[in-house]
Every structure is written in structure tokens, then in C-alpha cells.
Amino acid sequence: MTSSRGATIRLVVSDVDGTIVRKDKSLSPEVIAAVHRLRGAGIAFTLISARPMSGVMPLVAPLGIDIPVAGINGGVIFRPDGSVIAERRVDPGVVAGLFAMAEGAAVDRWIFAENRWYVSSLDGERIARERIASNAEPILRADFSDLYDRADKVTFVSFDAPMLRALTERAAAAFGDRATVGQSQTYYLDVTDTAANKGDGVAALAKMLGVDLADVAVFGDMNNDVAMFERAGFSVAMGQAPDAVKARADEISTSNEENGVAHAIDSFILPRARP
């Protein structure tokens, strides 16, 4: 949290799941209208998400985004037409080590590589929702080893929260100096490249657009959003965010089910716009 309450916001960057979309993964008319009001006031708007590019692209046109967008927590930065500007992959040694660490654990294993989604099971509890979020069909794999040098993101999935949290801690201890390790949701353990984190991702977007980080506002709801809270000039947590995340934000909005992004735009961002 690096509050710049006296600054004028020139760029807003929003997380996707749990922030700008509702639980059913849809954009509300209220949020769409608020983003267009924001852009009408001369403030740029874009997205950064743990989703792959295929999962972010369907949101670009409804929101009128015409500047670079980030997927894989900043690991893939692309233009609204889908052309890739920059891409960062996970160290192959880290990927191999992660799969060895998870051997025998009750987790589904996913790899996102080259805008495709590979899975260890088609029966996982999150498959149906991830089809919507990633805008992709899962590709079943028993052996992932040929993907180790092409992985944009490794995700382990489990609804055993204590077990997955413990696995996250082990993975961070073993590979935290060579990768970004964290949980984008309580049931997802995500591993990306060291530069594929929301903090570096927001910094890269701001640099491309010639905007000082002090003039950037960010919206988020989970622990992996705290990295961008710490880099941006102004941060807003959604109302349903964990208390630890709220404590790192400058302001708290309503929940994503209550149009939290629209409330943040109208209450906290537009009042900062220059006439």
C-alpha cells in the first residue's frame, strides 16, 4: 500500500476473478457502465489476471479496453487483438520439482502452456468453472514432462485447504527464489515465473503506457493482489476480501457480487479525475 491520496489517477488496473466478475464469471451491466464512465473521464483501464490470455480476451471488448492487458499474473502481456508483447515461462527445473513434491498428494495438476490448458483429470471439482474462466477446453494428460520447459503457469487444485496451504508453504520454501509461488484462491496453488506476479505486472503495464506508478490505482481481492497494492499509488480491496488483504489496501469497496468495481470507480477514482 503506497497511498497517493493527493495524486491524480491516470490508469486503473483491475484483477478479474473475485473482483471485476461475479461468482458466475460474468460482468454486470453496472460494472461495464462504470468502466466506460471511467474511460470517458480520460482514465485508462485494463486488466491483470491469473487467467491465461484465452480467459481474459472475452472481457476486453465489453469493457472497451484498447491498451495492453496482462494474463498469468503478468507472465503474458498482450494487445487487445491477442498479439503477445511479452511472455515469461516457469523455470523447467522448478516445474519438475513441483511435480515431484506433489507426488502422492490429493491434488489435480494443471499446466498452462502456449495458451492451452493441460489437466491430470477431467473430473476435478473446478474443471467446469475453469472452462469458463480460461475460455478453453482441458487437454487430458497422464505425463506432463514434455511441458516442463513450456509452462506459463503450474496450478495444483484441491478443496483440502490446510493440505494445499501446507503444500504452498513447502513449494515457497523450496522454489521461492526461482518462481512466484502463491494462492490465487484457497483451492488454487499457482506457480509462475519470478517476474510473473501482480506487482511486476502492474509496473510493466504502467511503463508501457508511460504512467508513473504513483498515478496507478489497482483493484483486487486475494493475497496475490497484495503485490500490486504495494507497488501502485492507490489500492482498493473488494468487500469480501480476507481481512489480511483489506488491511493492505487504501480503501475497501463493496463485494464483487455487489458491483465492487463500479462502487470503487464512482466513490474513489472519478472524484480524483481532473475536470
Side-chain angles (χ1 to χ4, degrees):
M1 179 171 64
T2 56
S3 178
S4 60
R5 293 182 179 275
T8 298
I9 300 302
R10 297 178 55 206
L11 169 66
V12 173
V13 183
S14 178
D15 168 51
V16 173
D17 295 291
T19 301
I20 200 166
V21 298
R22 297 173 286 194
K23 289 180 182 178
D24 66 359
K25 306 301 181 184
S26 67
L27 290 165
S28 74
E30 293 83 359
V31 164
I32 292 172
V35 170
H36 284 279
R37 285 196 297 276
L38 183 77
R39 296 178 66 248
I43 300 174
F45 180 88
T46 191
L47 301 170
I48 186 167
S49 176
R51 293 183 180 192
M53 181 171 69
S54 61
V56 184
M57 281 292 293
L59 306 175
V60 169
L63 296 170
I65 297 173
D66 56 2
I67 58 177
V69 186
I72 313 289
N73 290 335
V76 179
I77 298 178
F78 58 95
R79 300 178 184 89
D81 65 3
S83 56
V84 174
I85 299 171
E87 187 172 23
R88 302 292 294 265
R89 291 176 173 162
V90 188
D91 181 331
V94 170
V95 181
L98 288 165
F99 272 75
M101 182 178 288
E103 186 69 31
V107 296
D108 289 339
R109 297 154 176 83
W110 298 350
I111 282 183
F112 295 87
E114 297 171 337
N115 214 28
R116 292 181 174 86
W117 171 35
Y118 300 90
V119 303
S120 61
S121 171
L122 293 174
D123 301 321
E125 294 181 72
R126 297 300 303 180
I127 290 290
R129 283 190 174 271
E130 189 63 28
R131 275 189 169 103
I132 299 171
S134 294
N135 190 34
E137 282 298 312
I139 302 169
L140 186 63
R141 278 296 187 92
D143 180 14
F144 289 78
S145 58
D146 65 313
L147 300 172
Y148 288 176
D149 63 349
R150 293 186 279 150
D152 296 318
K153 181 172 70 168
V154 176
T155 299
F156 294 151
V157 188
S158 175
F159 280 87
D160 184 341
M163 182 275 291
L164 196 64
R165 186 165 54 249
L167 185 59
T168 301
E169 291 169 357
R170 288 175 56 206
F175 306 115
D177 59 339
R178 298 163 62 192
T180 299
V181 180
Q183 291 187 252
S184 58
Q185 301 291 339
T186 57
Y187 39 80
Y188 286 156
L189 162 55
D190 291 332
V191 180
T192 53
D193 179 71
T194 51
N197 64 80
K198 295 282 184 74
D200 286 345
V202 163
L205 289 169
K207 184 176 181 180
M208 287 178 187
L209 297 167
V211 177
D212 191 288
L213 277 169
D215 298 328
V216 176
V218 294
F219 303 157
D221 75 305
M222 283 298 292
N223 292 328
N224 66 332
D225 296 316
V226 170
M228 66 179 180
F229 288 7
E230 293 175 341
R231 301 287 291 277
F234 185 73
S235 57
V236 181
M238 296 299 104
Q240 85 287 353
D243 289 342
V245 175
K246 291 179 180 177
R248 306 297 290 273
D250 293 306
E251 293 285 358
I252 312 300
S253 188
T254 53
S255 75
N256 63 320
E257 289 294 290
E258 301 168 300
N259 302 312
V261 163
H263 177 76
I265 287 171
D266 291 332
S267 299
F268 309 134
I269 307 301
L270 286 178
R272 295 163 177 267
R274 288 196 178 107

